Amino acid sequence: MDIPETLRYAATHEWVSEPEGGVVTVGISDFAQDQLGDVVFVELPSVGDEVEAEDAVAVVESVKTASDIYAPLAGTITEVNDALESAPEAINEAPYQGGWLFRLRPADAGAREALLDAAAYQAVCEAES
């Protein structure tokens, strides 16, 4: 299970990158994609959507199930990964690189620090395994 130290995590298995220009990238963790199985479809939010933390903002469908994806932070969606429309399997192949879901400008620049660090997130995953 790959849990990069530089990311922050929500207990619902979303990851959040370090901010670049005030914007963070969001995706689902390696643990989450493994639990889902082969991803076959992704429904992404719209650019400009204003979201609250813990809002269901996207859906990832796999051969096993469909799963809501939650906003780990409140803010505004600035970009979505359109490449996932034709290649949703990128989530399985590279959840931390090409499989990212959307970018978000957080309403509170410091809110990311309240999310789980890698060690705390690993404990969540181990508890669910």
Side-chain angles (χ1 to χ4, degrees), residues 42-59:
V42 180
E43 182 181 320
L44 297 169
S46 297
V47 172
D49 283 357
E50 302 231 352
V51 300
E52 294 297 323
E54 302 178 8
D55 280 357
V57 296
V59 177

PDB file of all heavy atoms in Angstrom, residues 42-59:
ATOM      1  N   VAL A  42     -16.029   7.493 -14.238  1.00  0.00           N
ATOM      2  CA  VAL A  42     -15.864   8.539 -13.236  1.00  0.00           C
ATOM      3  C   VAL A  42     -16.798   9.690 -13.578  1.00  0.00           C
ATOM      4  O   VAL A  42     -16.856  10.132 -14.724  1.00  0.00           O
ATOM      5  CB  VAL A  42     -14.410   9.058 -13.206  1.00  0.00           C
ATOM      6  CG1 VAL A  42     -14.256  10.142 -12.153  1.00  0.00           C
ATOM      7  CG2 VAL A  42     -13.437   7.932 -12.958  1.00  0.00           C
ATOM      8  N   GLU A  43     -17.547  10.157 -12.599  1.00  0.00           N
ATOM      9  CA  GLU A  43     -18.372  11.356 -12.741  1.00  0.00           C
ATOM     10  C   GLU A  43     -17.716  12.440 -11.903  1.00  0.00           C
ATOM     11  O   GLU A  43     -17.628  12.325 -10.679  1.00  0.00           O
ATOM     12  CB  GLU A  43     -19.792  11.083 -12.248  1.00  0.00           C
ATOM     13  CG  GLU A  43     -20.724  12.252 -12.405  1.00  0.00           C
ATOM     14  CD  GLU A  43     -22.123  11.936 -11.888  1.00  0.00           C
ATOM     15  OE1 GLU A  43     -22.602  10.812 -12.122  1.00  0.00           O
ATOM     16  OE2 GLU A  43     -22.700  12.819 -11.231  1.00  0.00           O
ATOM     17  N   LEU A  44     -17.226  13.480 -12.575  1.00  0.00           N
ATOM     18  CA  LEU A  44     -16.472  14.534 -11.904  1.00  0.00           C
ATOM     19  C   LEU A  44     -17.344  15.753 -11.628  1.00  0.00           C
ATOM     20  O   LEU A  44     -18.368  15.947 -12.287  1.00  0.00           O
ATOM     21  CB  LEU A  44     -15.280  14.940 -12.781  1.00  0.00           C
ATOM     22  CG  LEU A  44     -14.253  13.829 -13.013  1.00  0.00           C
ATOM     23  CD1 LEU A  44     -13.267  14.238 -14.088  1.00  0.00           C
ATOM     24  CD2 LEU A  44     -13.531  13.488 -11.721  1.00  0.00           C
ATOM     25  N   PRO A  45     -16.937  16.584 -10.669  1.00  0.00           N
ATOM     26  CA  PRO A  45     -17.678  17.833 -10.428  1.00  0.00           C
ATOM     27  C   PRO A  45     -17.455  18.794 -11.592  1.00  0.00           C
ATOM     28  O   PRO A  45     -16.669  18.517 -12.503  1.00  0.00           O
ATOM     29  CB  PRO A  45     -17.053  18.366  -9.138  1.00  0.00           C
ATOM     30  CG  PRO A  45     -15.664  17.815  -9.144  1.00  0.00           C
ATOM     31  CD  PRO A  45     -15.761  16.463  -9.809  1.00  0.00           C
ATOM     32  N   SER A  46     -18.091  19.937 -11.548  1.00  0.00           N
ATOM     33  CA  SER A  46     -17.926  20.958 -12.583  1.00  0.00           C
ATOM     34  C   SER A  46     -16.983  22.049 -12.090  1.00  0.00           C
ATOM     35  O   SER A  46     -17.011  22.410 -10.902  1.00  0.00           O
ATOM     36  CB  SER A  46     -19.278  21.595 -12.922  1.00  0.00           C
ATOM     37  OG  SER A  46     -20.147  20.621 -13.457  1.00  0.00           O
ATOM     38  N   VAL A  47     -16.179  22.559 -13.001  1.00  0.00           N
ATOM     39  CA  VAL A  47     -15.319  23.692 -12.668  1.00  0.00           C
ATOM     40  C   VAL A  47     -16.212  24.849 -12.221  1.00  0.00           C
ATOM     41  O   VAL A  47     -17.253  25.114 -12.827  1.00  0.00           O
ATOM     42  CB  VAL A  47     -14.448  24.094 -13.878  1.00  0.00           C
ATOM     43  CG1 VAL A  47     -13.701  25.388 -13.609  1.00  0.00           C
ATOM     44  CG2 VAL A  47     -13.472  22.976 -14.224  1.00  0.00           C
ATOM     45  N   GLY A  48     -15.828  25.486 -11.138  1.00  0.00           N
ATOM     46  CA  GLY A  48     -16.613  26.586 -10.586  1.00  0.00           C
ATOM     47  C   GLY A  48     -17.526  26.176  -9.453  1.00  0.00           C
ATOM     48  O   GLY A  48     -18.025  27.035  -8.728  1.00  0.00           O
ATOM     49  N   ASP A  49     -17.745  24.871  -9.279  1.00  0.00           N
ATOM     50  CA  ASP A  49     -18.578  24.408  -8.166  1.00  0.00           C
ATOM     51  C   ASP A  49     -17.960  24.830  -6.841  1.00  0.00           C
ATOM     52  O   ASP A  49     -16.749  24.685  -6.640  1.00  0.00           O
ATOM     53  CB  ASP A  49     -18.708  22.876  -8.154  1.00  0.00           C
ATOM     54  CG  ASP A  49     -19.666  22.334  -9.191  1.00  0.00           C
ATOM     55  OD1 ASP A  49     -20.297  23.131  -9.915  1.00  0.00           O
ATOM     56  OD2 ASP A  49     -19.780  21.092  -9.282  1.00  0.00           O
ATOM     57  N   GLU A  50     -18.795  25.346  -5.959  1.00  0.00           N
ATOM     58  CA  GLU A  50     -18.354  25.664  -4.602  1.00  0.00           C
ATOM     59  C   GLU A  50     -18.798  24.502  -3.730  1.00  0.00           C
ATOM     60  O   GLU A  50     -19.971  24.110  -3.753  1.00  0.00           O
ATOM     61  CB  GLU A  50     -18.993  26.964  -4.120  1.00  0.00           C
ATOM     62  CG  GLU A  50     -18.649  28.123  -5.040  1.00  0.00           C
ATOM     63  CD  GLU A  50     -18.107  29.329  -4.315  1.00  0.00           C
ATOM     64  OE1 GLU A  50     -18.129  29.353  -3.088  1.00  0.00           O
ATOM     65  OE2 GLU A  50     -17.643  30.232  -5.019  1.00  0.00           O
ATOM     66  N   VAL A  51     -17.851  23.920  -2.983  1.00  0.00           N
ATOM     67  CA  VAL A  51     -18.139  22.729  -2.190  1.00  0.00           C
ATOM     68  C   VAL A  51     -17.780  22.968  -0.730  1.00  0.00           C
ATOM     69  O   VAL A  51     -16.927  23.785  -0.412  1.00  0.00           O
ATOM     70  CB  VAL A  51     -17.385  21.502  -2.741  1.00  0.00           C
ATOM     71  CG1 VAL A  51     -17.802  21.221  -4.183  1.00  0.00           C
ATOM     72  CG2 VAL A  51     -15.877  21.676  -2.657  1.00  0.00           C
ATOM     73  N   GLU A  52     -18.463  22.248   0.115  1.00  0.00           N
ATOM     74  CA  GLU A  52     -18.146  22.240   1.541  1.00  0.00           C
ATOM     75  C   GLU A  52     -17.385  20.961   1.850  1.00  0.00           C
ATOM     76  O   GLU A  52     -17.564  19.943   1.170  1.00  0.00           O
ATOM     77  CB  GLU A  52     -19.429  22.286   2.385  1.00  0.00           C
ATOM     78  CG  GLU A  52     -20.202  23.577   2.253  1.00  0.00           C
ATOM     79  CD  GLU A  52     -19.425  24.793   2.752  1.00  0.00           C
ATOM     80  OE1 GLU A  52     -18.697  24.671   3.759  1.00  0.00           O
ATOM     81  OE2 GLU A  52     -19.526  25.859   2.117  1.00  0.00           O
ATOM     82  N   ALA A  53     -16.562  20.979   2.873  1.00  0.00           N
ATOM     83  CA  ALA A  53     -15.850  19.775   3.288  1.00  0.00           C
ATOM     84  C   ALA A  53     -16.869  18.675   3.580  1.00  0.00           C
ATOM     85  O   ALA A  53     -17.915  18.931   4.176  1.00  0.00           O
ATOM     86  CB  ALA A  53     -15.014  20.060   4.527  1.00  0.00           C
ATOM     87  N   GLU A  54     -16.571  17.490   3.101  1.00  0.00           N
ATOM     88  CA  GLU A  54     -17.386  16.288   3.278  1.00  0.00           C
ATOM     89  C   GLU A  54     -18.594  16.224   2.361  1.00  0.00           C
ATOM     90  O   GLU A  54     -19.375  15.274   2.436  1.00  0.00           O
ATOM     91  CB  GLU A  54     -17.767  16.076   4.744  1.00  0.00           C
ATOM     92  CG  GLU A  54     -16.544  15.966   5.651  1.00  0.00           C
ATOM     93  CD  GLU A  54     -16.901  15.800   7.114  1.00  0.00           C
ATOM     94  OE1 GLU A  54     -18.078  15.616   7.458  1.00  0.00           O
ATOM     95  OE2 GLU A  54     -15.958  15.866   7.928  1.00  0.00           O
ATOM     96  N   ASP A  55     -18.768  17.199   1.438  1.00  0.00           N
ATOM     97  CA  ASP A  55     -19.809  17.085   0.406  1.00  0.00           C
ATOM     98  C   ASP A  55     -19.435  15.981  -0.565  1.00  0.00           C
ATOM     99  O   ASP A  55     -18.260  15.863  -0.946  1.00  0.00           O
ATOM    100  CB  ASP A  55     -19.916  18.379  -0.422  1.00  0.00           C
ATOM    101  CG  ASP A  55     -20.692  19.481   0.240  1.00  0.00           C
ATOM    102  OD1 ASP A  55     -21.232  19.269   1.349  1.00  0.00           O
ATOM    103  OD2 ASP A  55     -20.756  20.581  -0.355  1.00  0.00           O
ATOM    104  N   ALA A  56     -20.409  15.187  -1.004  1.00  0.00           N
ATOM    105  CA  ALA A  56     -20.186  14.238  -2.091  1.00  0.00           C
ATOM    106  C   ALA A  56     -20.064  15.056  -3.376  1.00  0.00           C
ATOM    107  O   ALA A  56     -20.980  15.798  -3.725  1.00  0.00           O
ATOM    108  CB  ALA A  56     -21.333  13.244  -2.180  1.00  0.00           C
ATOM    109  N   VAL A  57     -18.928  14.965  -4.061  1.00  0.00           N
ATOM    110  CA  VAL A  57     -18.685  15.818  -5.224  1.00  0.00           C
ATOM    111  C   VAL A  57     -18.408  15.043  -6.510  1.00  0.00           C
ATOM    112  O   VAL A  57     -18.408  15.628  -7.589  1.00  0.00           O
ATOM    113  CB  VAL A  57     -17.534  16.813  -4.975  1.00  0.00           C
ATOM    114  CG1 VAL A  57     -17.900  17.790  -3.864  1.00  0.00           C
ATOM    115  CG2 VAL A  57     -16.230  16.106  -4.669  1.00  0.00           C
ATOM    116  N   ALA A  58     -18.135  13.761  -6.394  1.00  0.00           N
ATOM    117  CA  ALA A  58     -17.826  12.946  -7.571  1.00  0.00           C
ATOM    118  C   ALA A  58     -18.253  11.513  -7.284  1.00  0.00           C
ATOM    119  O   ALA A  58     -18.555  11.165  -6.141  1.00  0.00           O
ATOM    120  CB  ALA A  58     -16.334  13.003  -7.881  1.00  0.00           C
ATOM    121  N   VAL A  59     -18.272  10.696  -8.342  1.00  0.00           N
ATOM    122  CA  VAL A  59     -18.585   9.277  -8.209  1.00  0.00           C
ATOM    123  C   VAL A  59     -17.563   8.486  -9.008  1.00  0.00           C
ATOM    124  O   VAL A  59     -17.250   8.844 -10.141  1.00  0.00           O
ATOM    125  CB  VAL A  59     -20.012   8.950  -8.718  1.00  0.00           C
ATOM    126  CG1 VAL A  59     -20.290   7.459  -8.636  1.00  0.00           C
ATOM    127  CG2 VAL A  59     -21.054   9.733  -7.943  1.00  0.00           C
TER     128      VAL A  59
END
